[in-house]
Amino acid sequence: MPPSPWRRSRTTCRWRYGLADRLGLPLRTLVLAAHAKVLAALSGDREVVTGYAARAGGRVLPCPLTTAPQTWRGLLLEAALVEVDLLWHRDVVVDELCRELGVGGPSFETVFDPVDGGGGMAGDSVLHVGLSTHGDRVALRLRYRTDALDADCAERIASYHLTALALMVADLDAAHGRASLLSPRSCASSWTGWR
């Protein structure tokens, strides 16, 4: 499974650091909120579950997220609350708990890795979104199963993440539900078939 190219935007990253600093939140929380928005847009569901790599090389935990809040700020704060709760409980042995309760294990097709630990793909996951920092540079890295996604699809998903972050930074109090993650070029090409 070849990794997709690293996606970087130095200017956007500075803005994101500024927003994270202003809100007193880690950058990973902004990216997690953007990831929730992207998954909701792709699935058509407001409630989504992604895997969350709470420790480099550690067990991936289920991370339920919602895009129910109306504004980017609300979405971001909701993601922050979920993340804090998840990190607080990261030592819970999920497999053991599932066996004890008689339920199936966690099910998710995507993994969010806030430190881009570079580990293998988790379980049945199709897409792995990693956040990597190198000094003042931030990179969003996508790895994907080539039997499920092609390079063009992975690039579009990466661009949706970057668009969500840019929209969040542009107006934190805007309604995210009306925001399109498609670039103007993507919108134009998708309408071509309708002529």
Side-chain angles (χ1 to χ4, degrees):
M1 286 169 274
S4 70
W6 286 79
R7 304 286 300 189
R8 295 183 185 166
S9 173
R10 196 176 176 106
T11 305
T12 305
C13 290
R14 277 194 213 120
W15 289 341
R16 285 187 222 133
Y17 269 128
L19 179 60
D21 289 345
R22 269 196 332 266
L23 296 173
L25 294 171
L27 181 61
R28 69 175 186 259
T29 304
L30 274 69
V31 179
L32 180 61
H35 186 57
K37 174 66 177 176
V38 170
L39 293 181
L42 292 172
S43 69
D45 293 326
R46 287 175 26 171
E47 311 290 325
V48 295
V49 177
T50 188
Y52 188 102
R55 287 197 176 104
R59 176 124 173 89
V60 176
L61 302 172
C63 179
L65 298 163
T66 182
T67 58
Q70 298 296 309
T71 65
W72 288 106
R73 181 184 305 273
L75 179 64
L76 181 56
L77 294 176
E78 180 69 27
L81 290 172
V82 169
E83 187 178 36
V84 165
D85 192 45
L86 180 82
L87 293 174
W88 182 260
H89 294 95
R90 70 178 155 223
D91 294 325
V92 170
V93 182
V94 176
D95 292 337
E96 207 173 280
L97 182 61
C98 288
R99 274 193 305 280
E100 190 176 305
L101 296 173
V103 296
S107 177
F108 41 82
E109 294 180 330
T110 64
V111 172
F112 175 69
D113 185 352
V115 294
D116 195 25
M121 299 289 283
D124 294 330
S125 66
V126 172
L127 179 69
H128 187 109
V129 178
L131 179 65
S132 182
T133 55
H134 304 282
D136 69 339
R137 294 179 153 219
V138 177
L140 183 68
R141 185 172 112 169
L142 273 69
R143 292 187 307 229
Y144 55 94
R145 276 195 1 225
T146 57
D147 63 332
L149 302 173
D150 63 19
D152 289 340
C153 183
E155 283 294 318
R156 280 192 306 276
I157 293 170
S159 75
Y160 298 160
H161 281 80
L162 295 176
T163 299
L165 286 164
L167 290 168
M168 189 184 303
V169 167
D171 186 357
L172 199 53
D173 294 312
H176 72 81
R178 295 183 179 172
S180 173
L181 300 180
L182 294 175
S183 68
R185 192 174 115 210
S186 295
C187 288
S189 65
S190 68
W191 282 101
T192 306
W194 291 91
R195 290 185 188 169

